[in-house]
Structure formats: structure tokens, C-alpha cells
Amino acid sequence: MTQSRTRISKAVIPAAGLGTRFLPATKATPKEMLPVVDKPAIQYVVEEAVTAGLSDVLMITGRNKRPLEDHFDRNYELEEALTRKGDETRLARVQESSDLATMHYVRQGDPKGLGHAVLCAAPHVGDQPFAVLLGDDLIDARDPLLARMVDIQERHGGSVIALMEVDPAQVHLYGCAAVKPTVDDDVVQVTGLVEKPDPADAPSNYAVIGRYVLDPAIFGVLRETEPGRGGEIQLTDALQALASSPDLGGPVHGVVFKGRRYDTGDRGDYLRAIVRLACEREDLGPEFRDWLRSYVTEEM
Ligand code: G1P
């Protein structure tokens, strides 16, 4: 078992997916760049990593993902134009994303699945535990999850996944965990995992959501993992190997999340995220809420 001595500092964000659910918007624009109110979805995810103390971010990208690199880089022309206009507010907003974290990029090449994407991070991560954040899952900044997962990893070693109880009819959309309770109400020990099971075969209604803190032993396991569901190398299958043989890389624990999560990979949930976050914004909220109230009463 690899036990961390230094604090976990590296986050990996797989962002090579094609975003077909949002076509035609994602024909020439990465899905990660779609705005949630006025920030690209991916910026919320990077901000979440940084808030949890992970300021070294590796993005696993692919073809057509250059806008991601540009977004987290300086834009001198724009900065100069805004400086000339004396528009300090917007200048700060432009600089925010380039000052956020130390960004690194690696291309996945073949789209062989989430497990394969994570394996692409091996040379950068080395032999320390690290976090993985999936870009489609947006965790509300007021309901911190990742920091708790990092704490649990530091306490128990091994790997930590994020779980959420879902309607059993929804389990087939997620990785699903068999669990045992621990002394902490919000922490379970994971004894087994299955990727997107049929509801009849699901071991529980604990769904895996897109946050992981992983022992680097996952890389060795991923190298041996055969393609699974959908012909892809599944991260869930590698975690199942760790959960069933703790000698490989320590135990697998789950932190049960009860906060607000939006699946920005789903069009309906994406719209709900925008409406909720816009309503709660100090600058836009009051006017938008008034409009929404009258829209709902008068037109629906
Ligand atoms: C991935 C994982 C799955 C997990 C889900 C969370 O699936 O493979 O285990 O439950 O993310 O969002 P995807 O949604 O990429 O198909």
C-alpha cells in the first residue's frame, strides 16, 4: 500500500470526450467550454480542485480541444484592450482563469475509455495519490466534497470514491458500489463495484459520481484491465480490482455526498444548473428571479 506523506496536490481532469449529446453546439467547440451562466463548465471544475488544495492540474485532452488550453492561458490582446478601456472588472475576470492553477495537458490519442484516460496521467502523477475530477459533474461550491475525500484518503490510505444515493431506476447510468458502514456516517468501505449494472444486478443504489482520490497503484491495475462495458477500459473495473484485493493498493472507501450536483453532460440538468446558479448570483439573480417568476405564472 502506498501511503502519502506529502499532501495530495495533483488533479487530473479527463476532457477528451466528444460531447455528442450537445451537437451541434459541440461540433467545433469542446463541450467543456459550454457556459454555465458566464463561465465555461470546466472552470468550475478547476476552481473546485484548487479550493480543495490541488493546484497542479493535468487535463487529458484530444483533438479539437485547443480552446481549453487557450482559456487557462493569458490573452494579452484582450487584456491590453480592457486595460486601455480601464475596465478592471472584466480584466480581472479574464485573468482569473489563467492565474488559477498550474495547468498541464496531455492528449489521449485513442478514445479507449475513462480508465485509459486516467492511465495517460501516469507519467505526470508519479507515485503519489492524486485526484480525478470528471468535467460533466458539477459540484456546488457551497457543498465541499473533494476536501473531505482528501482527508479520508490521508486517514485510511488507498483510494476514495464519491458516492451518491440515487433512485434504483437510475443506477444503470452510473458505476455502482457494494458498501459496508464505517464509524463515520458519511464514509463507507467499498467491497465491490460494477459499471452501469442492470437494476436487477445492482449491488445497491450507491452511484459513483465523478470525483476520485486514487492510490497510484491504480496505474498498474489499469495496465492489466481488459476492455469492459462498451468495449472501453473502465476506471470502475480497475477500482473493483483494488476493492476486492486491498493488497494491491489499499482499501477503497466511499464518501457519501448529499449536496448539490449537476450533470452538465445532460441537457436537462445543464439547463437546471444554469437557472439555479443564475438565480443565486448577486449580480444577475434579483432581476432574473423576477422574470422567471412571471414567466412561470404567466406562460406555463
Ligand atoms: C463515468 C463512470 C461511471 C460514473 C460516472 C459519473 O461514466 O464510468 O462509473 O458513475 O462517470 O458521472 P460516464 O458518465 O462518463 O459514462
Side-chain angles (χ1 to χ4, degrees):
M1 179 166 78
T2 317
Q3 193 86 37
S4 74
R5 295 230 178 79
T6 51
R7 241 190 119 71
I8 298 173
S9 62
K10 290 182 182 170
V12 173
I13 304 182
L18 295 176
T20 48
R21 282 190 278 180
F22 280 86
L23 282 169
T26 48
K27 185 178 172 190
T29 302
K31 65 171 173 173
E32 294 81 6
M33 289 303 294
L34 296 181
V36 175
V37 189
D38 50 9
K39 250 193 307 197
I42 193 73
Q43 190 175 332
Y44 291 86
V45 180
V46 175
E47 285 172 355
E48 182 192 336
V50 171
T51 304
L54 317 174
S55 56
D56 178 305
V57 175
L58 173 71
M59 270 193 203
I60 316 293
T61 66
R63 284 165 51 77
N64 301 329
K65 299 285 183 170
R66 283 295 291 277
L68 290 174
E69 298 188 32
D70 291 340
H71 182 70
F72 292 101
D73 196 359
R74 301 289 299 268
N75 182 335
Y76 290 106
E77 264 179 22
L78 186 55
E79 288 177 41
E80 221 175 277
L82 292 168
T83 307
R84 252 184 280 123
K85 280 198 206 164
D87 192 341
E88 304 216 337
T89 311
R90 293 204 173 90
L91 179 64
R93 302 216 76 195
V94 166
Q95 289 171 337
E96 223 169 60
S97 53
S98 50
D99 292 345
L100 203 51
T102 309
M103 303 296 300
H104 307 270
Y105 302 88
V106 62
R107 284 196 180 211
Q108 187 177 3
D110 295 328
K112 289 197 276 193
L114 178 59
H116 177 251
V118 170
L119 190 49
C120 295
H124 180 79
V125 165
D127 63 358
Q128 289 294 313
F130 64 104
V132 173
L133 294 87
L134 304 189
D136 282 349
D137 279 310
L138 213 146
I139 303 293
D140 198 300
R142 293 160 296 182
D143 301 323
L145 165 64
L146 197 56
R148 175 73 176 148
M149 296 173 70
V150 169
D151 283 348
I152 296 299
Q153 198 284 335
E154 286 175 349
R155 192 175 338 147
H156 296 283
S159 298
V160 180
I161 61 176
L163 297 171
M164 198 162 153
E165 287 196 75
V166 298
D167 181 334
Q170 300 296 308
V171 152
H172 70 282
L173 300 170
Y174 299 94
C176 178
V179 302
K180 281 201 306 214
T182 70
V183 290
D184 291 309
D185 276 354
D186 64 332
V187 181
V188 290
Q189 175 147 12
V190 176
T191 56
L193 279 159
V194 37
E195 178 69 1
K196 302 195 175 117
D198 290 335
D201 305 329
S204 73
N205 67 332
Y206 283 100
V208 177
I209 57 174
R211 299 292 178 269
Y212 309 80
V213 178
L214 300 173
D215 186 281
I218 196 83
F219 295 129
V221 177
L222 280 169
R223 281 187 197 102
E224 305 294 319
T225 301
E226 297 289 332
R229 196 165 179 98
E232 296 188 337
I233 298 172
Q234 296 290 350
L235 182 58
T236 304
D237 293 346
L239 280 161
Q240 153 63 16
L242 288 183
S244 58
S245 319
D247 289 351
L248 284 176
V252 179
H253 284 89
V255 168
V256 180
F257 182 63
K258 293 203 157 81
R260 287 157 283 194
R261 161 190 178 260
Y262 314 100
D263 176 3
T264 53
D266 173 82
R267 286 177 301 172
D269 234 12
Y270 170 75
L271 292 175
R272 283 185 279 276
I274 293 175
V275 171
R276 276 181 79 148
L277 295 175
C279 282
E280 291 160 6
R281 278 269 292 259
E282 270 175 32
D283 52 347
L284 301 166
E287 204 186 320
F288 185 65
R289 279 198 304 269
D290 283 348
W291 172 81
L292 189 61
R293 221 173 273 124
S294 62
Y295 178 71
V296 170
T297 32
E298 285 157 28
E299 314 216 16
M300 300 188 75

